[in-house]
Amino acid sequence: MEQPAISVVGLSKRFGPVVALDRVDFEVPPGSVFGLLGPNGAGKSTTIRILTTILRPSGGHAEVLGRDVVREPQAVRRLIGLAGQYAAVDQNLTGRENLRLIGKLTHLHRPRIRPRAGELLDRFDLAGAADRPVRTYSGGMRRRLDVAAALVPDPPVLFLDEPTTGLDPQSRNALWELIRELVRDGTTVLLTTQYLEEADRLAERVAVVDEGRIIVDDTPAALKARLGNTVVELDMAAEARAVQAASVLTGRFPEVPEREGTRLRMASRDGSALLLDVLHVLDANGLVPRSVAVRESSLDDVFLALTGHRTAAAPATGAAPTSGAGPTSAAGPQDTSGGTGPGASPGSAPGTSADSARQTARSAPEDTP
């Protein structure tokens, strides 16, 4: 049986009384994309920081390509690349200078540094801006340079922590295509995201994370199939009417209506037939929707059904990044139990990013493994 590229068993992390991770388990096959999907505060970034040796777990076991992240942190760092939520590139250096600097910091063979920087600038469509200061780059260009920096030592495993947060749709699609190319070349990618479309488009398997626990781990297609192929949405115009409509429909159909504000949602394998039946029942009770829609089910529907709330709003152009570990390549000598060590990459956020909701507890004593 092929050894998993990443193996996580019973992984836990506490910050004083706050449980950031609660016995998390998953495996990532080599040469695949695995998505950790969940809202801010779910524990996604904490998982990434443990797997990249920035944080020590409070319990459990994790390996990257057979190397224990606690007992063999230096060996793990030689195998991984990390692009976190904050830019780690130096704004005053050019793109080319940044990549060469990373090559030196990761102890790349000296004759290889210049050619490797050139290769990555070409691959990430940055050759034309290679000799400009990074402060003149657009957000999408900085993000591409970020990922390129994580790839300088050509790591077999790449961690991407919310890689497209704040990017416009064109930049987001371009980065998605670059990630697909990396996987076609054999790289294993673990990415965290709040965006359902990103997980659906990129990941071969998705683990839905909420409040430090993995709720479900499956392929996007299988997750969506749990709900049915189509979703019927009804806008009742007023919340009171939506409550009344939900009450009327409950028990009349095998599908259970889910209410969110003025909207009702019902998943089915035959959405058109369900819609006709639902409209007939509502009309008989004097309830007429303001609008109706039938569409394919999405991971957003899955997450809502599993947790009772959504992950996040749709990505906003130019949105500020959420808190998280700074992008770095594998060789950063961090091996601390909380926060960045002396070898933290530029731009790294102190402490843990699992999660803004949990950061208030960082000053509390930390449990040790």
Side-chain angles (χ1 to χ4, degrees), residues 92-166:
N92 294 315
L93 297 181
T94 66
R96 192 185 310 276
E97 289 168 340
N98 267 286
L99 296 187
R100 290 178 180 176
L101 175 61
I102 294 295
K104 294 176 182 177
L105 292 174
T106 57
H107 309 293
L108 197 65
H109 191 46
R110 186 172 293 274
R112 180 71 178 126
I113 292 177
R114 288 175 180 267
R116 181 60 174 163
E119 291 168 11
L120 290 168
L121 289 166
D122 287 336
R123 182 170 194 174
F124 283 77
D125 196 24
L126 292 169
D131 298 310
R132 282 169 37 195
V134 173
R135 64 176 179 271
T136 68
Y137 285 18
S138 68
M141 293 169 68
R142 283 195 299 272
R143 198 55 174 144
R144 296 203 304 275
L145 183 64
D146 243 5
V147 178
L151 291 170
V152 168
D154 198 16
V157 178
L158 178 64
F159 293 92
L160 300 176
D161 196 2
E162 302 199 10
T164 60
T165 296

Side-chain angles (χ1 to χ4, degrees), residues 11-12 33 53-54 58 66 68 118 152 180 198 216-217 233 272 297 339:
L11 199 64
S12 301
V33 180
T53 76
I54 296 172
S58 302
D68 189 286
V152 168
R180 293 189 190 100
E198 186 160 76
V216 67
D217 174 358
E233 288 189 332
S272 298
S297 60

Side-chain angles (χ1 to χ4, degrees), residues 9-335:
V9 179
L11 199 64
S12 301
K13 182 63 181 176
R14 298 179 63 92
F15 298 97
V18 177
V19 179
L21 288 179
D22 188 6
R23 298 183 298 277
V24 166
D25 302 280
F26 63 85
E27 287 188 350
V28 182
S32 67
V33 180
F34 186 86
L36 287 176
L37 173 67
N40 280 337
K44 306 184 305 295
S45 293
T46 294
T47 303
I48 289 278
R49 290 169 72 85
I50 290 174
L51 292 174
T52 55
T53 76
I54 296 172
L55 287 175
R56 290 175 63 90
S58 302
H61 180 78
E63 292 183 356
V64 177
L65 294 177
R67 300 290 191 171
D68 189 286
V69 300
V70 174
R71 295 198 305 265
E72 304 172 274
Q74 295 291 355
V76 170
R77 291 169 193 148
R78 288 191 289 269
L79 297 170
I80 64 173
L82 166 65
Q85 294 179 32
Y86 286 125
V89 291
D90 190 318
Q91 302 292 315
N92 294 315
L93 297 181
T94 66
R96 192 185 310 276
E97 289 168 340
N98 267 286
L99 296 187
R100 290 178 180 176
L101 175 61
I102 294 295
K104 294 176 182 177
L105 292 174
T106 57
H107 309 293
L108 197 65
H109 191 46
R110 186 172 293 274
R112 180 71 178 126
I113 292 177
R114 288 175 180 267
R116 181 60 174 163
E119 291 168 11
L120 290 168
L121 289 166
D122 287 336
R123 182 170 194 174
F124 283 77
D125 196 24
L126 292 169
D131 298 310
R132 282 169 37 195
V134 173
R135 64 176 179 271
T136 68
Y137 285 18
S138 68
M141 293 169 68
R142 283 195 299 272
R143 198 55 174 144
R144 296 203 304 275
L145 183 64
D146 243 5
V147 178
L151 291 170
V152 168
D154 198 16
V157 178
L158 178 64
F159 293 92
L160 300 176
D161 196 2
E162 302 199 10
T164 60
T165 296
L167 296 188
D168 60 81
Q170 182 177 356
S171 297
R172 192 163 60 247
N173 287 329
L175 187 53
W176 286 349
E177 184 54 39
L178 287 169
I179 293 170
R180 293 189 190 100
E181 289 179 10
L182 292 172
V183 175
R184 285 196 291 268
D185 291 343
T187 303
T188 301
V189 177
L190 189 153
L191 67 87
T192 72
T193 183
Q194 300 179 57
Y195 303 141
L196 288 304
E197 181 187 9
E198 186 160 76
D200 204 2
R201 295 273 293 272
L202 290 178
E204 293 161 50
R205 290 189 71 88
V206 174
V208 177
V209 187
D210 194 39
E211 296 183 350
R213 297 182 180 89
I214 289 184
I215 301 170
V216 67
D217 174 358
D218 212 331
T219 65
L223 290 175
K224 289 185 289 186
R226 294 186 181 202
L227 287 182
N229 298 326
T230 54
V231 174
V232 172
E233 288 189 332
L234 307 148
D235 185 353
M236 302 305 298
E239 192 162 347
R241 289 174 61 82
V243 171
Q244 185 180 0
S247 177
V248 167
L249 295 173
T250 299
R252 298 284 189 99
F253 302 95
E255 299 81 8
V256 178
E258 298 172 354
R259 187 179 66 82
E260 185 179 15
T262 65
R263 293 180 177 272
L264 295 179
R265 183 181 296 102
M266 298 175 72
S268 172
R269 300 192 183 280
D270 190 353
S272 298
L274 175 64
L275 176 60
L276 292 174
D277 292 341
V278 165
L279 291 177
H280 178 74
V281 170
L282 291 179
D283 183 62
N285 286 270
L287 297 167
V288 179
R290 177 168 58 185
S291 64
V292 297
V294 178
R295 58 173 176 77
E296 291 186 358
S297 60
S298 70
L299 284 181
D300 199 7
D301 301 309
V302 174
F303 194 90
L304 184 62
L306 290 171
T307 68
H309 58 84
R310 295 186 181 277
T311 54
T317 301
T322 56
S323 59
T328 181
S329 58
Q334 295 123 327
D335 187 22

